[in-house]
Amino acid sequence: MRTFWSLLLAAAVLAGSCAKDEFGQGVETAPDDGLSAKLVFSADNARQGELLVCFSSNAAERIESAVGAMTRAGGIATRSGIGDFDAVLDGIGVKTIRRLFPVDSRHEERTRAAGLHRWYFVGFDADADLDFVARQMAAVAEVSKVEFNQQLRHVACGEVVPLTESPVVAPTRAAVQFDDPYLERQWHYINTGNTTLYDGIKVGADVNCAEAWRLCTGDPRVVVAVLDNCVQWDHPDLAANMWVNSDETLNGADSDGNGYADDIHGYNFVDDKELTISTIKDADHGTHVAGTVAAVNNNGRGVCGVAGGSGNNDGVKIMSCQIFCDDRGGSAEQTARAFKYAADNGATIAQCSFGYEAGGITSDDAYVRNASVEKQAIDYFIATQNCPAVGGGVVIFAAGNDEKGMASYPGAYRDYVSVTSISCDYTPAYYTNYGPGCNIAAPGGDAYQSYPQATSQVLSTINGGKYGYMQGTSMACPHVSGVAALGLSYALQLGKTFTQSEFVALLLTSVNNINQYCTGVDAKYAKQMGSGYIDAFQLLMNVRGITCIQVPVGSQATVRPLEYLGDGNASLTIASVEISDEDRARLGIGAAPTIFSNQVLFKCTKPGSAIIRIRLQAGTNSGSGMNGMTITREFALIARESRSANGGWL
């Protein structure tokens, strides 16, 4: 079962009588008249009677004046104020022309600086020849680009599996005081190797929430925008962590002047109206994704979220940006508007479980050429700082469920994070994309492992106040979004600040090795799943500035801390080692660590994480009371199972 949103895009119109499109298919095109460079995408898979037009900087003021005058008078604008363009409108049964991104006076200056004020939506008779109209518009001197409004399609390969089982108490790998009854079924957070879920499950194949939650559980100043179908904002396990637009009133009007009426918890960009759960049959996917990011923790019900807080109103916030509705897909227009809305209304992370079909676009250059307004809006999101801990937005995409050797765009683009999927035994999920464009892995589940049971899939919230299992890179993606939100929450807790690129670098290097599990039939995935599988505790340590050291489970660990200090050759002597009794128990360390030849020796019998404090002496002792200075450095230990040399399990 694959659950993934896909945009199926055709090629841009190219010059010549016959050419290759971005998919490598032969297409007939019009003779080169110099207009092709202005066209983005083609009429294939585009909405009829709609085009997105970007006007030149010089023309922007004229069209703004003309359109603004008509809308302020209470009417619908059908004139641009540009003679040649209006002549085109006269012949196509124009219905409306409006600015693509509504005016938000709070952020108009940066909107104009980004050039987004130059984009307009033009609606006209659906019977008009879309190609012909686009070329007519492109021929107008004041027009910079004409974009075919591509239709997004919901591609589903299975349904959500509702949870029917009663909770069964199972031990966790660490002391977690949360009372959420289904936490023990969320192996993707804390994997104890519970074979009642799947007989091949492996301890530690998770995002290491137990260790991270000892330090931080979330912060409401971090807002995650879920670009998906609707999130059930009144779900009992989500309501307390939903973003609320406190300046808006539910009265049918735009109370706060941001360009959107009644946007209390977000907005429905498909129908251009407020979110309305009662009219939506399918809000499962968006609600499931939101629950993974921030279902409310420690509230005595249901499931947990990666950054869902501790039950004290301290979880991160979810903003619902609806770009899908039931079986109706969105469009390039709606996606772009959602990104800008999220940026302008406080979101720092964009959680995106959708994308083009893998292979439809195969290079960053092609993506830049063929996703004009979408890319500009995403870049605007990245450039916008809404959280004091990071200097911009972080955009996280699912890599795709096409079983192909490349990530799908937009996630494959070099500035966005693309997430692959692993199963509950560390192995790559059967459906996951892999290879170029993939950045990092996370648990997404694999239905085949526990079939006909669903317990090897990801458990989260679903529509109707219920819970259910789903699988896909769509499910892996919110784990990374949740971990990123947790990392920013911890940065706020510590008073740390990072640039956007610094934080993304920390995120992509807070990983455990997955390549050791890519053997046999899975050998094709080796070094193709991204940097590794995400580890929440490691990210918190990286945010804190503590070096993480990987150690084995079941065999002696030899830690050489001096290798991580200075250039690795500092003249330091280990004086003593300190690890708390709690951490020793967590890692199953029986005998106290010993010091031998400036190395620390110990043995872990359990997977987990801990902090070790090492006292070092800088300089030498004279033997007459003149001693070197004693300093203390902290290191984080990450204990994980590892493969033996012959490929078997240790």
Side-chain angles (χ1 to χ4, degrees):
M1 179 181 79
R2 302 180 197 137
T3 305
F4 187 73
W5 306 98
S6 290
L7 282 163
L8 303 180
L9 299 182
V13 178
L14 303 177
S17 59
C18 184
K20 292 285 187 180
D21 65 10
E22 292 293 350
F23 298 85
Q25 304 294 321
V27 293
E28 296 295 327
T29 63
D32 187 9
D33 52 11
L35 302 180
S36 297
K38 288 187 175 184
L39 300 178
V40 181
F41 300 134
S42 76
D44 294 337
N45 196 46
R47 292 194 173 195
Q48 297 299 305
E50 298 178 3
L51 286 168
L52 311 178
V53 181
C54 182
F55 291 91
S56 66
S57 298
N58 294 334
E61 186 175 344
R62 274 187 287 164
I63 187 171
E64 216 163 17
S65 177
V67 171
M70 283 180 272
T71 54
R72 282 193 298 272
I76 297 175
T78 56
R79 283 291 178 271
S80 68
I82 298 170
D84 290 345
F85 194 80
D86 287 340
V88 176
L89 299 181
D90 286 336
I92 61 173
V94 62
K95 297 178 180 178
T96 184
I97 178 170
R98 57 173 170 78
R99 212 172 91 158
L100 181 59
F101 303 102
V103 174
D104 182 342
S105 59
R106 301 169 303 172
H107 308 298
E108 183 65 8
E109 182 178 349
R110 72 185 186 200
T111 299
R112 302 179 81 84
L116 295 179
H117 69 296
R118 295 163 50 198
W119 281 96
Y120 280 78
F121 173 90
V122 182
F124 49 91
D125 193 330
D127 294 332
D129 186 311
L130 201 57
D131 276 316
F132 180 72
V133 173
R135 299 187 77 83
Q136 279 192 311
M137 290 181 177
V140 176
E142 290 86 351
V143 170
S144 296
K145 291 182 181 179
V146 178
E147 182 169 339
F148 295 93
N149 194 15
Q150 293 294 305
Q151 178 72 43
L152 285 73
R153 190 177 71 181
H154 177 195
V155 179
C157 297
E159 302 295 331
V160 62
V161 181
L163 177 67
T164 57
E165 308 96 329
S166 299
V168 178
V169 176
T172 57
R173 193 174 64 240
V176 177
Q177 301 303 317
F178 295 164
D179 58 6
D180 309 78
Y182 294 119
L183 174 59
E184 84 283 349
R185 293 187 176 274
Q186 293 182 287
W187 59 265
H188 32 101
Y189 298 165
I190 305 170
N191 192 333
T192 62
N194 182 0
T195 55
T196 64
L197 303 179
Y198 164 56
D199 58 10
I201 197 169
K202 295 295 181 182
V203 176
D206 55 36
V207 297
N208 206 4
C209 279
E211 315 301 338
W213 285 340
R214 292 188 292 121
L215 302 172
C216 182
T217 58
D219 190 302
R221 290 173 288 178
V222 179
V223 179
V224 180
V226 174
L227 281 72
D228 210 297
N229 60 3
C230 190
V231 175
Q232 186 195 348
W233 66 86
D234 60 353
H235 191 294
D237 224 358
L238 287 173
N241 281 348
M242 289 300 299
W243 172 77
V244 178
N245 183 356
S246 58
D247 294 327
E248 185 70 20
T249 302
L250 192 64
N251 59 4
D254 179 16
S255 305
D256 63 350
N258 71 349
Y260 297 93
D262 294 342
D263 56 319
I264 304 297
H265 300 291
Y267 198 70
N268 174 0
F269 296 92
V270 180
D271 300 310
D272 197 17
K273 60 182 292 186
E274 75 278 3
L275 299 168
T276 311
I277 282 288
S278 61
T279 63
I280 297 172
K281 298 191 297 290
D282 178 18
D284 284 334
H285 194 278
T287 304
H288 195 280
V289 163
T292 298
V293 175
V296 181
N297 297 336
N298 203 31
N299 62 347
R301 68 169 71 242
V303 297
C304 288
V306 175
S310 64
N312 296 304
N313 295 316
D314 53 357
V316 304
K317 297 300 183 182
I318 296 293
M319 176 191 293
S320 180
C321 294
Q322 185 182 351
I323 60 173
F324 299 97
C325 184
D326 297 332
D327 58 353
R328 293 180 290 123
S331 67
E333 170 221 358
Q334 293 152 0
T335 302
R337 292 176 71 203
F339 272 108
K340 186 175 186 299
Y341 175 92
D344 286 345
N345 290 279
T348 295
I349 296 170
Q351 156 58 39
C352 309
S353 289
F354 63 91
Y356 306 110
E357 183 181 23
I361 295 177
T362 57
S363 73
D364 285 356
D365 288 344
Y367 173 67
V368 171
R369 288 196 307 273
N370 289 315
S372 185
V373 71
E374 171 195 276
K375 184 177 184 303
Q376 285 189 42
I378 298 176
D379 289 347
Y380 179 89
F381 182 91
I382 290 174
T384 302
Q385 181 178 14
N386 285 320
C387 174
V390 63
V394 180
V395 179
I396 303 174
F397 277 91
N401 299 343
D402 307 296
E403 304 176 50
K404 290 187 176 180
M406 63 182 69
S408 65
Y409 280 86
Y413 186 64
R414 59 181 174 266
D415 291 340
Y416 318 148
V417 176
S418 177
V419 184
T420 60
S421 179
I422 65 169
S423 306
C424 62
D425 61 357
Y426 296 100
T427 60
Y430 74 88
Y431 50 77
T432 189
N433 288 347
Y434 56 97
C438 298
N439 302 126
I440 196 168
D446 191 323
Y448 288 144
Q449 290 185 328
S450 61
Y451 184 82
Q453 305 301 317
T455 49
S456 58
Q457 299 182 59
V458 171
L459 179 61
S460 186
T461 47
I462 59 173
N463 197 21
K466 300 177 182 178
Y467 304 90
Y469 294 95
M470 298 182 80
Q471 69 164 5
T473 55
S474 286
M475 281 59 253
C477 186
H479 283 86
V480 177
S481 295
V483 170
L486 199 63
L488 290 178
S489 299
Y490 195 50
L492 289 170
Q493 182 177 315
L494 299 178
K496 296 261 190 170
T497 59
F498 302 94
T499 67
Q500 192 270 354
S501 59
E502 285 172 344
F503 183 74
V504 171
L506 293 181
L507 183 68
L508 295 183
T509 54
S510 300
V511 294
N512 296 304
N513 181 26
I514 192 175
N515 297 315
Q516 60 187 316
Y517 307 106
C518 299
T519 59
V521 296
D522 290 329
K524 67 180 181 181
Y525 298 106
K527 298 184 179 180
Q528 301 297 309
M529 293 286 286
S531 57
Y533 68 93
I534 187 70
D535 188 308
F537 179 78
Q538 282 194 51
L539 179 59
L540 268 55
M541 292 299 96
N542 282 329
V543 165
R544 185 165 160 177
I546 295 179
T547 299
C548 295
I549 301 176
Q550 297 277 344
V551 296
V553 172
S555 59
Q556 180 175 278
T558 302
V559 174
R560 302 174 178 86
L562 271 61
E563 292 181 357
Y564 303 94
L565 304 174
D567 64 355
N569 296 293
S571 294
L572 297 164
T573 303
I574 299 177
S576 64
V577 177
E578 178 187 336
I579 182 170
S580 69
D581 291 341
E582 180 186 2
D583 280 355
R584 281 180 57 181
R586 181 174 292 108
L587 298 184
I589 299 175
T594 60
I595 301 169
F596 175 77
S597 188
N598 241 14
Q599 302 172 125
V600 180
L601 310 179
F602 56 91
K603 182 179 180 179
C604 298
T605 60
K606 300 177 184 178
S609 306
I611 293 176
I612 187 170
R613 294 171 179 83
I614 298 178
R615 294 178 66 247
L616 301 148
Q617 192 171 74
T620 58
N621 294 340
S622 67
S624 61
M626 185 180 291
N627 300 323
M629 178 181 287
T630 300
I631 59 176
T632 301
R633 290 295 301 265
E634 291 183 324
F635 297 88
L637 302 178
I638 312 292
R640 283 292 184 272
E641 225 177 38
S642 61
R643 291 264 196 170
S644 63
N646 64 5
W649 293 101
L650 288 176

